[in-house]
Amino acid sequence: MKKVVSIILSLSILLTLMAGCGSSPNTESGGANTNGGSSSGKVTIRFSSWDSAESFEQQQKLVDEFNKTHPNIQVNFEGYGDQYDTKISAAIGAGDAPDVMYMWNYPKYKEALEPLDSYIQKEGDSYKSNFYETLWNYNSMEGQILGLPVGYTSFVLYYNKDLFDKAKVAYPTDNWTWDDLHAAAKKLTDQGKKVYGYAVPAKPDPYDYEMFLWSNGTSYTGVNGTVQGYLNSDKAAQAFTVMQDMLKDGSAISVTSSNYGEAEFKSGKTAMYITGAWSVNTLKNAKVNFGVALLPRYSSNQKSVSAVGSSGVAISKTCKNKEAAWEFAKYWTSEELNKARIGYELPVLKSVAESQNFSSDPIYSKFYTMLEESKNYTPTLLKYSNWSDLSDSLTQAFEQMFNPSVYKNPKDALNDVANNF
Amino acid sequence: MKELTKKKKINFTPWIFISPWIIGFLIFTAMPLLFSLIMSFFNWPVIGQKVFVGFQNYITMFTKDAQFYKSLFITLKFALIFVPFNLIIALILAVMISIPVRGVYAYRVIFYLPTVVSGVAVSIIWGWILNGQYGVFNYILSFIGISGPDWLNNPSWAIVAIVIAGAWGVGTMMLIFYTAIKAISKDLYEAAYIDGASNVRSFFSITLPLITPTLLFNLVTSIITSLQEITLVLLLTNGGPMKSTYFYGLYVFNNAFVKNRLGYACANAWFMFLIILLLTALVFKSSDVWVYNAAGKNKKRSKTS
Amino acid sequence: MKLSKLEKTIFYILLTAFSLYFLLPFVWMILTALKSEAEAYTFPPKFFPSVWHFDNFKAAWNSQPFGTYLANSLIVAVLTTIGQIVSCSMVAYGFARFNFKGKKVLFTLLLCTMMLPWDVTAIPLYMEFKIFGWINTLKPLIVPAFFGSAYYIFLLHQSLTSIPRDFEEAAKIDGANEFQVFTRIFLPIMRPVLNLIGVLNIITVWNDYLGPLVFLNDRSKYTLALGLAAFKGVHTQQIVPTMAITVVMVIPPLIAFGFAQKYIIEGMSGAIKE
């Protein structure tokens, strides 16, 4: 009887061990990852990004290139796509941060990141000044630089040329106001065919939509984080009223997809929408005949301002080989790599944008113009301590404004938010 | 060993049988469970300084967080619709696939098919089908003169959309019922048939009482899973529109991973744990009355009514 | 079993309705996998592709090292299934057929482990696996299965409670010891449910996404579900490859289901007579 017991027990232990062996043909590299070094004196760096399958291979090639030219450093590339935040949160929370990380949400991760000012200083002034100045703001917290700019996007107005031609409407210009856009949208709309002039995302990211407040002369918060009189000001409400009006008169459609209505635009169901540079390649590949213009203005004596979506590469505080990590971060933001990633990210180095003649490119120049216009604006994300809750409330306010079953008055919706903070 | 039991000493046999689970519990479950309880008493950002705050997380949750009550309420409402709906459909399907008609093998596969599809794909497909403007579902409804709602964009319909899409994966529960039905001895049905009982009567007097242990299982587990539901609302509606599907599971997930408040999320989770525990305890308490148990104490019910 | 005319009518109406509900979205998924990327996005959606792109499957499969992912998924599925069947059958038998001190408390504890959501235990678990040196290996996905999962133990436990006591008593009178009772009498009785557990487990681990996401880093360790999720980026979702891989991924669990279905029926005497 006891024999049977011991046989069963040892069998289950054996199986457990087998499970262990079967699982890992090369545990070594895994071990090396966490130790940050292996017997041969080679330093291992874990590099993680939000690349999905679409861009993974391309990025991997660039990493391989580095590994080839740096015999003492082995960089392992990890791409987590859409769930990047969950993955690195869990990893950092458990004390297992990747050494080099793609980064945009600095307020959330700042305490896990190594300040880079001293590293940058060593490279000399010209190194730093070659990056667009605006982007340093987006990669710094509390006066410390936490990441090297690696890519950015500003927002522009995309329009479908074929639909404009068909409706015999003149293409949008860089001087358009929202009233011009509204008038054009009415002409472009064909309710019978379910074609609409403009797309309003029902659930935009509040981070991005601060640009409409900026364009109309206000922002979510003032100095010391005051909310009252800023995000619920008349100017703020006015900025969104025009969009709601378009929805109400049927010249725009409320879109739920997370890509700001890319799917509808791609299939020719909407003539205009506002989004970042990530759509350029998608639309080119889908062979959509499109153009872009600067964001519309709220009145002819105002300028339009764009939100800047910025990405950087940051180094973990817990990284054991910071010099090697810096070496790689430098490589990743170099001219050569800026060039190699064109079409996937907009170059952040002035020298590259110049050598590629982006200032005369009918599409790319718009993004750089919008970037320049946005120089003096700092998003509330970077200066307001409780952004995550504010953003949550704002999202709900936007939904109430733009959801066809509610269409709440923008002023009321924004007042509700302001009264909670 | 037999002699030991006779002498009323501790019988080790059951302990040997359950030892794998006890060892596994101690190694893989106890620590994370305890740890999450400890974290619930801390201001514990995933990244940053951890500070002990006593019951503050629980107090904040009950007194200051309106979303906590909203999410809790929505989730309970969802469970109240989803659990009975799913159980009944699963049971109907299980009975159907146990009737030996021609092609039953194919129907079994068809009914079971959706459970094999990964959550990511499920949400994409249903997102298309239920699209208010261009979706297939409203297109089909228009043929019979119904103008369908904007399922995913209308706060009152979104929860219905989640139920419809969620029930697509009912095959697992169906299969569990089916296995239980198949385990019933066919002699019982033959005897009933000879006595002139109808099929419906056989179902209620033989099938249903004999699968009550499985019904209990499906009831308890579906209460647990529906109160913890997150995948569909995360991928299909992302809690919207206007938080009408911002289920408790999503609320906890966002607190932990988006808002960087792991300690608070742990407090949320432990509160839900208590609710589930309470509901499960109630179900078990009631099960003495309605669940058939041949091995346990209520032998009196071993004969079906 | 004979169905009356009314019963037959209801049966076939339900059958048709349910078949449409379960099958149509699936068929559409297959059709989408065969469309061009542009056509997959057209509004209103087209049911049939204008050109059938059978090469989509090959392209999707080759866009990532899916061969490696498949091997990893198979290792995890097979080993966890063995683990669950061995451990759950023992534990459920221990709980269902014995009375011992502390049983109620332990069984309650077992059920409790299902009640805490995954997200709040993920980070402590991560720390633990890191101490074991298991991060970026398949061990976190496999080893716990050898200690039983509450869900399956509970399921087996429920099926064992409807078996009368006479079974083991008769066997003991015939001179069988406790383990012989388990292996010779109860294992065969449990077989249909163990088959069921096998199927359920394969599907669960096959589509499990958050576990692999958190514990695995390198592509060489990825499972199929993780590869599938990698088609979703921050701003983009590659619909066609997602659908193509989903269709391919469905096949192995369906084969497992086919086998199990056979054994679930064979294992027990057919309940309903024609």
Side-chain angles (χ1 to χ4, degrees):
Chain A
M1 163 73 225
K2 277 204 173 125
K3 260 183 196 165
V4 184
V5 178
S6 53
I7 287 170
I8 290 190
L9 277 181
S10 49
L11 196 72
S12 49
I13 290 166
L14 191 75
L15 281 167
T16 316
L17 291 175
M18 264 171 55
C21 303
S23 66
S24 49
N26 47 350
T27 341
E28 266 172 41
S29 71
N33 281 345
T34 40
N35 297 338
S38 67
S39 52
S40 61
K42 206 168 179 175
V43 169
T44 305
I45 296 289
R46 276 179 62 200
F47 170 47
S48 66
S49 85
W50 50 68
D51 282 286
S52 64
E54 207 173 2
S55 49
F56 188 94
E57 296 289 347
Q58 185 198 352
Q59 299 276 73
Q60 179 69 58
K61 267 181 211 141
L62 300 173
V63 173
D64 290 344
E65 199 61 39
F66 177 86
N67 285 337
K68 232 182 276 165
T69 49
H70 296 74
N72 294 325
I73 307 174
Q74 165 71 34
V75 176
N76 291 338
F77 178 51
E78 306 160 10
Y80 299 113
D82 176 47
Q83 284 299 319
Y84 180 72
D85 240 9
T86 311
K87 169 71 188 188
I88 63 165
S89 284
I92 295 174
D96 191 31
D99 299 307
V100 181
M101 294 170 263
Y102 261 73
M103 188 57 57
W104 68 271
N105 190 346
Y106 289 96
K108 178 175 175 186
Y109 294 102
K110 62 181 177 194
E111 288 178 68
L113 305 179
E114 175 82 1
L116 299 177
D117 301 76
S118 58
Y119 297 84
I120 293 167
Q121 244 159 31
K122 276 185 221 155
E123 303 292 326
D125 284 345
S126 62
Y127 175 77
K128 193 179 169 186
S129 62
N130 193 17
F131 290 87
Y132 284 92
E133 290 82 7
T134 320
L135 297 174
W136 288 116
N137 293 338
Y138 284 83
N139 289 286
S140 305
M141 281 298 290
E142 290 147 12
Q144 283 181 319
I145 295 173
L146 296 177
L148 287 178
V150 69
Y152 87 95
T153 184
S154 48
F155 287 74
V156 296
L157 178 71
Y158 286 72
Y159 57 94
N160 184 320
K161 288 182 177 169
D162 292 343
L163 287 176
F164 271 79
D165 292 343
K166 219 198 273 171
K168 299 199 174 69
V169 180
Y171 294 159
T173 68
D174 292 343
N175 297 319
W176 260 24
T177 62
W178 277 96
D179 291 336
D180 296 328
L181 187 145
H182 191 172
K186 276 185 189 162
K187 288 181 207 152
L188 289 155
T189 300
D190 182 346
Q191 297 253 13
K193 287 184 183 156
K194 294 198 172 184
V195 172
Y196 299 89
Y198 182 69
V200 180
K203 204 177 176 180
D205 186 343
Y207 174 86
D208 298 336
Y209 265 40
E210 193 169 15
M211 63 190 172
F212 297 118
L213 274 68
W214 292 340
S215 298
N216 206 20
T218 183
S219 59
Y220 288 144
T221 56
V223 277
N224 305 326
T226 352
V227 174
Q228 287 289 352
Y230 287 89
L231 72 76
N232 61 339
S233 62
D234 288 341
K235 284 177 183 170
Q238 195 193 359
F240 302 116
T241 306
V242 57
M243 298 178 196
Q244 199 189 53
D245 287 346
M246 290 167 74
L247 287 171
K248 279 180 178 166
D249 70 22
S251 60
I253 182 181
S254 170
V255 290
T256 34
S257 61
S258 57
N259 299 342
Y260 285 165
E262 187 186 273
E264 285 83 357
F265 186 79
K266 216 155 94 175
S267 54
K269 291 290 163 186
T270 53
M272 291 178 280
Y273 80 128
I274 288 173
T275 195
W278 48 73
S279 286
V280 172
N281 270 8
T282 319
L283 295 175
K284 277 184 181 165
N285 291 340
K287 303 197 173 62
V288 180
N289 183 15
F290 72 99
V292 303
L294 300 187
L295 293 180
R297 301 173 296 174
Y298 281 95
S299 65
S300 45
N301 54 16
Q302 280 172 315
K303 276 194 162 177
S304 63
V305 182
S306 166
V308 176
S310 141
S311 46
V313 283
I315 296 174
S316 162
K317 251 183 192 161
T318 56
C319 170
K320 292 208 176 80
N321 301 290
K322 294 207 175 79
E323 285 305 323
W326 170 250
E327 197 59 34
F328 179 72
K330 228 169 60 186
Y331 164 80
W332 201 250
T333 52
S334 64
E335 285 192 7
E336 189 192 335
L337 273 271
N338 262 261
K339 270 183 206 158
R341 278 196 306 271
I342 288 174
Y344 161 64
E345 271 166 350
L346 290 175
V348 292
L349 296 173
K350 293 173 190 164
S351 56
V352 176
E354 273 158 32
S355 71
Q356 300 294 316
N357 281 324
F358 273 0
S359 54
S360 57
D361 184 287
I363 288 175
Y364 287 120
S365 62
K366 308 294 180 194
F367 292 99
Y368 284 89
T369 312
M370 290 309 317
L371 179 69
E372 281 301 303
E373 298 292 351
S374 311
K375 213 184 270 178
N376 301 319
Y377 296 85
T378 307
T380 298
L381 163 90
L382 292 176
K383 55 186 191 188
Y384 189 71
S385 60
N386 193 11
W387 170 253
S388 62
D389 281 329
L390 184 64
S391 159
D392 210 28
S393 296
L394 282 167
T395 306
Q396 202 165 353
F398 287 132
E399 278 196 88
Q400 288 168 340
M401 290 179 217
F402 302 139
N403 189 302
S405 60
V406 190
Y407 284 152
K408 192 169 179 171
N409 179 300
K411 181 78 181 174
D412 295 343
L414 293 171
N415 271 334
D416 284 355
V417 178
N419 292 339
N420 279 321
F421 287 87
Chain B
M1 195 64 82
K2 236 169 153 188
E3 286 150 69
L4 285 178
T5 24
K6 273 180 191 163
K7 284 176 197 163
K8 293 273 171 197
K9 286 193 176 169
I10 300 170
N11 182 359
F12 287 104
T13 321
W15 291 94
I16 291 161
F17 277 110
I18 65 167
S19 62
W21 175 71
I22 291 182
I23 296 167
F25 175 79
L26 292 175
I27 300 175
F28 297 114
T29 319
M31 197 286 279
L33 228 54
L34 215 68
F35 205 97
S36 73
L37 186 63
I38 293 169
M39 286 194 290
S40 76
F41 295 105
F42 278 79
N43 179 1
W44 191 296
V46 177
I47 298 124
Q49 278 297 311
K50 284 87 178 147
V51 185
F52 179 76
V53 292
F55 282 94
Q56 196 53 53
N57 285 332
Y58 292 90
I59 295 168
T60 309
M61 175 168 108
F62 288 118
T63 59
K64 285 190 193 128
D65 192 347
Q67 190 57 49
F68 161 74
Y69 290 103
K70 281 185 203 153
S71 289
L72 189 62
F73 178 72
I74 299 166
T75 311
L76 290 173
K77 184 173 135 192
F78 170 73
L80 207 62
I81 304 169
F82 191 70
V83 171
F85 183 71
N86 239 17
L87 279 175
I88 291 168
I89 291 190
L91 194 54
I92 292 174
L93 292 174
V95 171
M96 285 174 73
I97 59 169
S98 53
I99 297 173
V101 295
R102 202 177 301 150
V104 66
Y105 194 90
Y107 296 125
R108 269 180 217 143
V109 175
I110 288 172
F111 293 170
Y112 191 64
L113 202 57
T115 61
V116 184
V117 179
S118 88
V120 181
V122 170
S123 61
I124 295 173
I125 297 167
W126 283 98
W128 269 336
I129 294 175
L130 296 173
N131 183 302
Q133 284 279 335
Y134 310 106
V136 178
F137 196 53
N138 280 355
Y139 186 63
I140 294 171
L141 285 180
S142 71
F143 285 125
I144 47 174
I146 300 172
S147 147
D150 194 353
W151 296 95
L152 300 171
N153 217 0
N154 185 313
S156 5
W157 285 104
I159 200 160
V160 181
I162 298 286
V163 172
I164 294 176
W168 204 50
V170 77
T172 304
M173 232 197 267
M174 170 195 82
L175 200 59
I176 293 170
F177 274 134
Y178 172 71
T179 311
I181 291 173
K182 278 284 156 190
I184 300 171
S185 161
K186 66 179 172 183
D187 302 345
L188 289 173
Y189 291 98
E190 265 167 23
Y193 183 69
I194 291 163
D195 289 349
S198 70
N199 288 325
V200 175
R201 197 179 150 74
S202 290
F203 172 77
F204 282 106
S205 58
I206 301 170
T207 315
L208 202 54
L210 283 174
I211 61 166
T212 43
T214 307
L215 188 62
L216 175 68
F217 171 83
N218 275 339
L219 180 60
V220 169
T221 53
S222 64
I223 288 175
I224 295 175
T225 48
S226 61
L227 290 178
Q228 292 180 351
E229 168 61 44
I230 175 167
T231 317
L232 260 184
V233 287
L234 182 69
L235 297 171
L236 192 56
T237 59
N238 195 12
M242 283 160 290
K243 304 228 163 147
S244 56
T245 58
Y246 200 74
F247 286 6
Y248 202 82
L250 188 58
Y251 166 76
V252 176
F253 179 86
N254 278 345
N255 276 342
F257 288 107
V258 178
K259 296 192 175 177
N260 201 13
R261 289 175 198 144
L262 188 56
Y264 190 58
C266 287
N268 301 152
W270 275 93
F271 178 71
M272 183 48 100
F273 171 84
L274 286 180
I275 290 187
I276 295 177
L277 190 64
L278 196 76
L279 286 174
T280 313
L282 283 175
V283 171
F284 267 91
K285 200 90 200 146
S286 74
S287 74
D288 285 347
V289 183
W290 60 270
V291 173
Y292 174 79
N293 184 345
K297 43 191 184 291
N298 56 345
K299 270 189 176 167
K300 54 184 182 290
R301 279 187 55 102
S302 60
K303 277 267 186 298
T304 52
S305 50
Chain C
M1 166 165 150
K2 274 236 153 43
L3 294 172
S4 71
K5 215 166 189 180
L6 177 70
E7 283 170 338
K8 248 186 195 156
T9 318
I10 296 173
F11 177 80
Y12 280 104
I13 289 174
L14 283 177
L15 200 61
T16 316
F18 279 122
S19 300
L20 287 176
Y21 170 58
F22 288 116
L23 201 57
L24 277 187
F26 193 81
V27 169
W28 199 22
M29 189 173 87
I30 297 174
L31 291 172
T32 307
L34 293 166
K35 288 174 187 165
S36 67
E37 190 83 25
E39 206 166 37
Y41 281 104
T42 46
F43 278 133
K46 272 170 84 179
F47 207 75
F48 293 103
S50 51
V51 183
W52 297 76
H53 290 270
F54 288 100
D55 50 331
N56 281 349
F57 287 99
K58 207 178 152 195
W61 188 263
N62 289 334
S63 70
Q64 288 184 62
F66 273 105
T68 311
Y69 302 172
L70 177 66
N72 290 336
S73 278
L74 284 175
I75 290 169
V76 174
V78 169
L79 288 175
T80 53
T81 304
I82 294 171
Q84 295 287 12
I85 285 175
V86 170
S87 57
C88 292
S89 59
M90 286 173 67
V91 177
Y93 178 72
F95 274 120
R97 306 307 289 191
F98 293 93
N99 279 315
F100 54 93
K101 224 181 155 189
K103 171 173 146 171
K104 265 204 150 157
V105 176
L106 282 176
F107 195 69
T108 311
L109 201 60
L110 175 95
L111 294 179
C112 282
T113 59
M114 293 194 285
M115 299 175 194
L116 207 66
W118 178 90
D119 27 27
V120 296
T121 51
I123 287 179
L125 209 56
Y126 194 124
M127 293 173 181
E128 193 177 325
F129 287 142
K130 198 186 149 207
I131 295 167
F132 294 168
W134 286 3
I135 297 300
N136 204 18
T137 73
L138 297 179
K139 286 177 205 168
L141 310 180
I142 296 169
V143 180
F146 281 81
F147 300 94
S149 124
Y151 185 81
Y152 304 132
I153 294 170
F154 182 28
L155 176 61
L156 258 176
H157 175 271
Q158 289 311 94
S159 74
L160 288 176
T161 54
S162 50
I163 296 162
R165 274 266 176 250
D166 327 348
F167 265 76
E168 54 253 66
E169 268 145 34
K172 275 181 201 162
I173 290 164
D174 290 347
N177 66 33
E178 307 272 10
F179 278 93
Q180 286 163 333
V181 172
F182 173 64
T183 53
R184 290 187 198 162
I185 313 242
F186 277 92
L187 273 185
I189 292 176
M190 284 193 269
R191 217 176 75 176
V193 185
L194 287 175
N195 275 315
L196 172 67
I197 288 175
V199 174
L200 297 182
N201 179 65
I202 287 171
I203 287 154
T204 310
V205 301
W206 201 253
N207 288 327
D208 178 21
Y209 160 57
L210 282 172
L213 173 78
V214 170
F215 301 126
L216 304 176
N217 299 334
D218 292 340
R219 268 189 160 194
S220 61
K221 310 289 175 1
Y222 271 24
T223 58
L224 286 172
L226 215 44
L228 180 71
F231 286 124
K232 190 170 162 64
V234 183
H235 296 291
T236 50
Q237 166 87 57
Q238 292 172 276
I239 298 279
V240 172
T242 306
M243 292 300 156
I245 293 298
T246 305
V247 172
V248 175
M249 263 180 81
V250 160
I251 297 167
L254 273 191
I255 294 173
F257 173 66
F259 277 113
Q261 181 176 235
K262 199 171 148 234
Y263 286 117
I264 289 169
I265 301 161
E266 265 184 11
M268 292 321 289
S269 49
I272 301 167
K273 236 192 111 199
E274 180 97 40

